[in-house]
């Protein structure tokens, strides 16, 4: 226990250290421990938002630990495995609302914790605990260690945005049936979850239903966490679809069903000299959105949609110690409500990979363009420049 506790403390307090170690192995039983983190410097121009009774009307310069993740995983039998993930997010972010129970700001929280039992090998598995909601690819199957862009999409927890659907930082306490069939080309996931835990929003204590299908035409994606970019190690052509549903949610004084569905397309093509091209497209349609999307006019209770497109090109030839991958992205967040305007987000970035997808230095500039700015609010044009160091395994 002392050895485990030592790794735990070091992983959370020393973001310059990367570790992954097998600490126990006997017959079919094993235990592994690891850590991964991100450190950011971020400059945001033309901000106008409240923080502890202060207001930023110009530039915000912010140093923060964006993520610090400590995890344990292992096997008990060939069929039974487990995963536990402790997290601290946005430590030191200037405008963060601290919530130690969720690991936001100060504090450490159990972000993921589950048992997985293979009923019919990888064809049919049951997973019980706290886990990703199997809905979108961006924040439903993709590991945050393996994103093409600097962070998650806006509206799903990226940068300063919140998450539009009910969740505990993108997770839910649930039971999920999932597996890989048709020669591992088709992955399915079906969840029954706890759903919204706010009694005011969910007065009838309804459960949520979510699910996802993804078909990979070339190399299969069979794991619980996958990558958004494979750096030339896999050839991916995947088409996915998902849904999320919770009955009779009370949002903005109106009782209605929350429903959302998505379709997405991922293409990752290895090329000559170790180069590779990555293209990711997604569309999300939302009815009776539970949570307003930060800095946009898609408010709680509205209907709307989100479109996202990303493209990156990885260079297989090293430049000094690592490999370069420039990328660009565009997102559109639209509200169906009369008179509400769209928000466009444009991003341009460069990843410098030191070892695999998890260890890299990134620089990104993103631009938020409002159809119409709202005076004395955060709904305004702004520019964000972020320098990131990500290390771990």
């Amino acid at each position: 226990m002392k050895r485990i506790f030592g790794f735990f403390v070091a992983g959370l307090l020393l973001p310059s250290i990367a570790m992954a170690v097998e600490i126990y192995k006997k017959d079919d039983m094993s235990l592994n421990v690891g850590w991964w983190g991100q450190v950011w410097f971020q400059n945001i121009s033309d901000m106008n938002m409240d923080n502890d009774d202060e207001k930023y009307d110009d530039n915000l310069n912010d140093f923060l630990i964006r993520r610090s993740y400590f995890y344990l995983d292992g096997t008990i039998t060939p069929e039974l495995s487990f995963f536990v993930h402790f997290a601290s997010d946005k430590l030191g972010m200037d405008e963060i609302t601290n919530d130690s129970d969720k690991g936001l700001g100060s504090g450490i929280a159990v972000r993921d914790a589950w048992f997985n039992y293979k009923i019919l090998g990888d064809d049919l598995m049951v997973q019980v605990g706290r886990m990703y909601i199997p809905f979108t690819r961006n924040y439903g199957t993709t590991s945050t260690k393996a994103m093409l862009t600097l962070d998650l999409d806006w509206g799903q927890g990226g940068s300063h945005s919140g998450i539009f659907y009910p969740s505990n930082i993108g997770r839910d306490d649930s039971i999920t049936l999932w597996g890989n069939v048709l020669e591992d080309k088709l992955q399915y996931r079906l969840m029954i979850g706890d759903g919204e835990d706010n009694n005011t929003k969910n007065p009838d204590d309804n459960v949520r239903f979510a699910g996802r299908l993804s078909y990979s035409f070339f190399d299969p994606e069979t794991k619980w966490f996958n990558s958004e970019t494979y750096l030339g190690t896999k050839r991916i052509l995947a088409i996915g679809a998902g849904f999320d549903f919770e009955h009779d949610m009370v949002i903005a004084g109106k009782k209605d069903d929350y429903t959302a569905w998505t379709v997405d397309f991922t293409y990752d093509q290895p090329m000559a000299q170790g180069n590779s091209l990555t293209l990711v497209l997604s569309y999300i349609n939302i009815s009776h959105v539970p949570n307003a999307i930060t800095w946009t006019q898609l408010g709680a209770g509205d209907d709307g949609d989100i479109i996202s497109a990303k493209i990156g090109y990885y260079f297989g030839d090293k430049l000094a110690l690592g490999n370069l991958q420039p990328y660009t992205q565009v997102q559109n967040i639209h509200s169906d409500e009369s008179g509400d305007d769209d928000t466009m987000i444009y991003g341009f970035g460069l990843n410098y990979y030191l070892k695999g997808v998890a260890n890299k230095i990134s620089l990104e500039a993103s631009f938020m363009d409002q159809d119409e700015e709202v005076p004395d609010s955060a709904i305004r044009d702004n520019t964000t420049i972020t320098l990131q160091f990500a290390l771990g395994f």
Side-chain angles (χ1 to χ4, degrees):
M1 288 300 295
K2 289 182 179 179
R3 188 176 182 185
I4 295 173
F5 181 74
F7 279 121
F8 175 67
V9 173
L12 288 167
L13 299 182
L14 301 177
S16 62
I17 295 177
M19 67 186 74
V21 101
E22 183 178 78
I23 60 176
Y24 181 80
K25 175 69 175 177
K26 183 179 180 181
D27 299 326
D28 294 324
M29 300 182 70
S30 65
L31 179 63
N32 306 296
V33 60
W35 177 87
W36 177 80
Q38 296 170 308
V39 178
W40 283 10
F41 167 73
Q42 194 167 65
N43 172 272
I44 306 178
S45 67
D46 301 321
M47 287 188 68
N48 183 14
M49 60 186 306
D50 292 320
N51 178 32
D52 297 331
D53 297 325
E54 297 178 3
K55 185 168 285 190
Y56 298 102
D57 288 309
D58 195 4
N59 289 4
L60 171 66
N61 294 299
D62 199 4
F63 290 91
L64 64 143
I65 299 175
R66 174 61 178 94
R67 293 178 175 91
S68 185
Y69 289 173
F70 172 84
Y71 64 88
L72 295 165
D73 69 69
T75 57
I76 300 170
T77 71
E79 295 79 25
L80 183 61
S81 61
F82 64 90
F83 180 81
V84 182
H85 165 204
F86 300 91
S88 180
D89 270 358
K90 301 181 179 180
L91 181 61
M93 180 179 279
D94 282 357
E95 48 81 39
I96 187 68
T97 300
N98 286 311
D99 188 340
S100 59
D101 289 339
K102 295 180 182 294
L104 290 174
S106 60
I108 302 163
V110 176
R111 190 62 53 81
D112 302 271
W114 70 69
F115 288 102
N116 184 80
Y117 185 75
K118 295 183 176 182
I119 300 172
L120 296 174
D122 287 345
D123 289 352
L124 176 60
M125 294 172 278
V126 59
Q127 194 157 293
V128 181
R130 177 170 295 178
M131 67 197 77
Y132 273 0
I133 298 155
F135 170 35
T136 67
R137 181 181 176 103
N138 179 249
Y139 204 13
T141 65
T142 299
S143 169
T144 50
K145 300 177 185 178
M147 294 180 290
L148 169 64
T149 53
L150 181 85
D151 208 353
L152 297 160
D153 283 353
W154 198 267
Q156 291 195 263
S159 189
H160 286 250
S161 77
I163 301 172
F164 72 81
Y165 48 81
S167 71
N168 187 333
I169 316 298
R171 281 82 169 171
D172 203 350
D173 299 327
S174 60
I175 179 170
T176 297
L177 294 176
W178 70 291
N180 306 283
V181 295
L182 301 181
E183 298 181 338
D184 290 340
K185 299 290 188 181
L186 179 66
Q187 185 178 92
Y188 66 91
R189 306 185 185 196
L190 181 62
M191 166 185 281
I192 301 176
D194 198 31
E196 176 62 56
D197 57 8
N198 184 318
N199 292 333
T200 302
K201 290 184 177 181
N202 186 17
D204 300 326
D205 195 25
N206 292 313
V207 299
R208 84 152 359 114
F209 298 93
R212 178 170 173 81
L213 291 173
S214 179
Y215 189 85
S216 299
F217 289 88
F218 301 131
D219 293 339
E221 296 180 294
T222 60
K223 297 180 180 179
W224 181 256
F225 297 112
N226 60 31
S227 293
E228 194 168 51
T229 180
Y230 285 95
L231 310 184
T233 61
K234 280 191 174 187
R235 186 186 183 202
I236 300 294
L237 177 59
I239 297 176
F243 76 93
D244 194 17
F245 172 81
E246 192 158 352
H247 182 57
D248 277 354
M249 291 191 66
V250 179
I251 310 295
K254 179 183 177 182
K255 190 172 187 178
D256 201 353
D257 295 342
Y258 153 67
T259 60
W261 58 269
T262 184
V263 291
D264 49 72
F265 171 89
T266 301
Y267 179 61
D268 205 332
Q269 177 64 50
M271 305 179 80
Q273 299 179 319
N275 300 347
S276 66
L277 173 70
T278 302
L279 174 65
V280 181
L281 307 172
S282 70
Y283 171 79
I284 304 172
N285 184 277
I286 316 162
S287 296
H288 201 50
V289 61
N291 302 307
I293 295 183
T294 317
W295 301 0
T296 79
Q297 294 201 55
L298 185 56
D302 292 354
D303 299 339
D305 51 45
I306 304 172
I307 300 172
S308 174
K310 310 171 191 178
I311 187 168
Y313 193 87
Y314 175 78
F315 291 93
D317 290 335
K318 281 192 173 184
L319 178 65
L321 298 177
N323 300 81
L324 291 173
Q325 183 188 49
Y327 65 83
T328 185
Q329 63 171 319
V330 61
Q331 298 175 54
N332 175 269
I333 300 173
H334 168 74
S335 174
D336 292 345
E337 304 307 303
S338 176
D340 285 352
D341 295 307
D342 290 3
T343 299
M344 296 291 298
I345 301 164
Y346 308 93
F348 306 91
L350 183 67
N351 295 318
Y352 183 65
Y353 293 97
L354 302 171
K355 184 178 180 181
V357 291
N359 299 276
K360 63 185 177 182
I361 302 169
S362 301
L363 179 64
E364 181 180 290
S366 64
F367 311 93
M368 179 169 280
D369 180 24
Q370 309 285 353
D371 274 356
E372 184 174 345
E373 295 182 292
V374 178
D376 298 320
S377 80
I379 303 173
R380 60 193 296 177
D381 299 343
N382 64 66
T383 301
T384 301
I385 298 174
T386 308
L387 175 64
Q388 169 187 264
F389 295 85
L391 297 169
F393 183 72

